Amino acid sequence: MMKTPSGTQIRQILYFQLFFWIALFLFGTARMYGEYESGAFKEVIIYNFCHLIFQIAGANFIYFVLIRHFFDRKKYVAFSLYLMISLYAISVINRFFLVYIAEPLFTNEVKDSVFSIFTDIPYLLLHYTFPVISGAFIFISIMFIIRYRDEREHTIKLQKEKTELELQSLKSQLNPHFLFNTLNNIYSLSISHSDKTSQSISQLSDILDYILYKGQKKWVPVSDELAIIEHYIALESLRYHDERLKIQKHIRLNTPNTIPPLLYLTLVENAFKHGAGKSSGITEIKIDLETNDLHSVFTIENTFSGHQTANEKGIGLQNIQRQLQYHYQEHFTFRISQENNIFKVEITTPSHYD
């Protein structure tokens, strides 16, 4: 099913046709200027104008009817048959118009017979069909270029909308997962550390506010993301004894860079989930963050027990990679490594990108 052109596209086509056919007429007239005497040149202009009318009609019929309804639908035999019939019909009507309507207004030449108009094929081809074909060929070629450009822009727009929808879907997958884990933390806290429950609820409130509002933005300051990570770590740390969880942070914010929201938070959550969350022994988590005028470099490491398959990419790491591709295309690095029971992720992104 063919897409119906919008009002803007129709106006663009009309403006293009107006410019194109006027330019073609002026070019053809200027090419013959000086080859005829004044009176004869006026007749040439009239002839050219009469031919132009049928060039316009023929080119539009071929493109908007034959090409769109037959050629585009791969009905090549029907397209070829109707094209030949149409060219013959347009040529005959054009000649009939000139001989019996236009020429009597400015010349007294003997009229060709109706039979001659229909049967003199060589004359029709040379003086009527070829002008229609030449004008239609140029017109249709330009229309195909415009059509290709519009379809390409439309495809790019659809792809962008699809990517944005996918990204929103990824965030909707992440948020319930994160909320579930955090509520479990508060539940554990309410049982064993009830005097700190109010503080944890306040921290959770800040995290949810960040996800619901700043999480929908395209970019956030690195410092904002870091503040939320501090809240998250505080909530998670309440679940473990000090000797069970070791956290080291090395933060160097030299410049106020920006990143997509939830980028680093997802990695921190992933480290807790696959580190302390799946190990009964001591778990170490190291966070390193540095910003400068060119890049933001975030590195996180977590230890894991020997029987775990920490290298397996879960939903969190998949989200990160797709989010990076959406926001930065190819202008980022995303490295995952695993060695000696240490799982490490490193992300390098431009300081600002849009």
Side-chain angles (χ1 to χ4, degrees):
M1 185 171 134
M2 291 182 300
K3 187 181 72 168
T4 303
S6 64
T8 302
Q9 290 175 322
I10 292 174
R11 286 193 297 272
Q12 289 177 346
I13 292 173
L14 290 176
Y15 292 148
F16 159 69
Q17 293 224 40
L18 183 64
F19 172 80
F20 174 79
W21 294 115
I22 291 177
L24 187 67
F25 175 75
L26 294 177
F27 174 78
T29 302
R31 188 169 56 87
M32 296 181 179
Y33 182 77
E35 297 183 9
Y36 300 89
E37 296 179 358
S38 178
F41 184 68
K42 290 180 180 179
E43 293 183 5
V44 170
I45 293 177
I46 296 174
Y47 276 112
N48 284 348
F49 183 76
C50 291
H51 283 303
L52 180 71
I53 294 173
F54 290 91
Q55 281 182 316
I56 295 173
N60 279 272
F61 179 80
I62 292 171
Y63 179 77
F64 288 104
V65 177
L66 300 184
I67 289 179
R68 301 307 296 267
H69 288 82
F70 296 100
F71 187 85
D72 286 352
R73 296 175 178 176
K74 299 182 180 181
K75 299 179 180 180
Y76 302 125
V77 175
F79 169 76
S80 301
L81 178 62
Y82 287 129
L83 177 63
M84 289 187 291
I85 294 174
S86 301
L87 288 173
Y88 172 76
I90 292 170
S91 299
V92 168
I93 296 171
N94 188 1
R95 187 177 179 187
F96 190 90
F97 177 82
L98 275 172
V99 170
Y100 286 93
I101 298 177
E103 286 183 349
L105 300 177
F106 61 89
T107 183
N108 295 321
E109 292 185 9
V110 178
K111 297 182 180 62
D112 297 329
S113 66
V114 175
F115 180 79
S116 174
I117 291 175
F118 276 89
T119 58
D120 193 351
I121 303 299
Y123 189 83
L124 281 175
L125 288 175
L126 181 62
H127 295 282
Y128 295 91
T129 306
F130 285 161
V132 171
I133 291 176
S134 61
F137 177 79
I138 300 172
F139 171 77
I140 292 171
S141 298
I142 298 176
M143 286 298 295
F144 265 107
I145 294 173
I146 296 174
R147 177 173 158 189
Y148 171 78
R149 182 204 64 188
D150 291 343
E151 289 178 350
R152 185 171 180 272
E153 291 178 352
H154 182 65
T155 301
I156 292 173
K157 182 180 178 181
L158 288 178
Q159 184 62 38
K160 183 178 179 181
E161 292 175 351
K162 176 177 177 289
T163 305
E164 290 176 348
L165 288 174
E166 287 179 349
L167 183 59
Q168 291 300 321
S169 176
L170 292 174
K171 287 182 177 181
S172 69
Q173 293 173 3
L174 171 68
N175 296 350
H177 176 67
F178 172 77
L179 180 60
F180 176 78
N181 286 347
T182 307
L183 287 174
N184 276 339
N185 294 351
I186 294 179
Y187 174 74
S188 300
L189 181 66
S190 66
I191 295 176
S192 58
H193 300 283
S194 59
D195 57 326
K196 295 183 180 180
T197 302
S198 60
Q199 179 185 356
S200 66
I201 292 174
S202 175
Q203 290 169 332
L204 176 59
S205 175
D206 290 339
I207 292 174
L208 292 179
D209 180 75
Y210 182 82
I211 292 174
L212 292 173
Y213 296 102
K214 289 190 177 181
Q216 307 308 315
K217 295 181 180 180
K218 188 172 184 180
W219 307 104
V220 295
V222 171
S223 58
D224 287 359
E225 182 91 355
L226 186 61
I228 294 303
I229 289 175
E230 294 287 351
H231 290 326
Y232 178 85
I233 292 175
L235 286 173
E236 285 281 21
S237 298
L238 292 172
R239 297 177 58 191
Y240 309 101
H241 299 294
D242 292 339
E243 63 274 9
R244 164 100 191 277
L245 182 64
K246 306 295 183 182
I247 298 178
Q248 298 180 26
K249 291 177 287 185
H250 192 196
I251 310 298
R252 303 175 300 284
L253 298 182
N254 302 311
T255 53
N257 297 356
T258 58
I259 58 168
L262 309 179
L263 184 66
Y264 297 159
L265 181 60
T266 309
L267 289 174
V268 174
E269 180 191 15
N270 194 71
F272 273 94
K273 178 182 177 182
H274 296 284
K278 292 188 177 181
S279 174
S280 58
I282 297 175
T283 299
E284 295 183 9
I285 296 177
K286 296 180 181 179
I287 298 174
D288 187 282
L289 173 61
E290 181 177 6
T291 64
N292 55 51
D293 291 331
L294 297 178
H295 300 102
S296 300
V297 183
F298 181 86
T299 305
I300 185 166
E301 300 178 9
N302 68 271
T303 58
F304 62 94
S305 59
H307 67 275
Q308 289 179 251
T309 56
N311 196 34
E312 183 181 354
K313 286 190 177 182
I315 184 174
L317 295 180
Q318 291 176 3
N319 284 356
I320 288 292
Q321 187 162 18
R322 294 175 68 177
Q323 193 174 4
L324 287 168
Q325 289 172 344
Y326 169 73
H327 286 287
Y328 298 106
Q329 288 75 54
E330 303 300 325
H331 303 281
F332 71 92
T333 59
F334 181 47
R335 297 189 181 95
I336 301 174
S337 61
Q338 175 183 336
E339 186 177 358
N340 297 327
N341 288 355
I342 296 177
F343 188 72
K344 179 180 178 181
V345 179
E346 179 181 315
I347 295 177
T348 302
T349 56
S351 57
H352 301 281
Y353 190 85
D354 205 348

